[in-house]
Amino acid sequence: MSEDNDGAEGLVSRVRIIEGQPLAARAAAYASLHDELARRLDQAPPEPAPGA
């Protein structure tokens, strides 16, 4: 996701665009979005443990 598509509004906008595509393209777009979100999650700093 680009910097101007960060946050919930950007995600909702992307999902709306994906939903307007034909089924085969939609599946590929969702797979790409999943990969991108998983990559970003893997790169995020870990949250501190409760009570730390």
Side-chain angles (χ1 to χ4, degrees):
M1 281 197 279
S2 69
E3 289 301 315
D4 28 37
N5 273 344
D6 280 352
E9 289 181 25
L11 180 58
V12 169
S13 175
R14 287 183 70 181
V15 169
R16 284 188 180 136
I17 292 168
I18 291 170
E19 283 296 313
Q21 298 176 358
L23 186 57
R26 200 178 325 161
Y30 274 124
S32 176
L33 180 60
H34 170 271
D35 292 345
E36 183 177 336
L37 292 172
R39 217 175 15 258
R40 290 180 70 165
L41 184 60
D42 288 343
Q43 293 173 353
E47 292 187 19

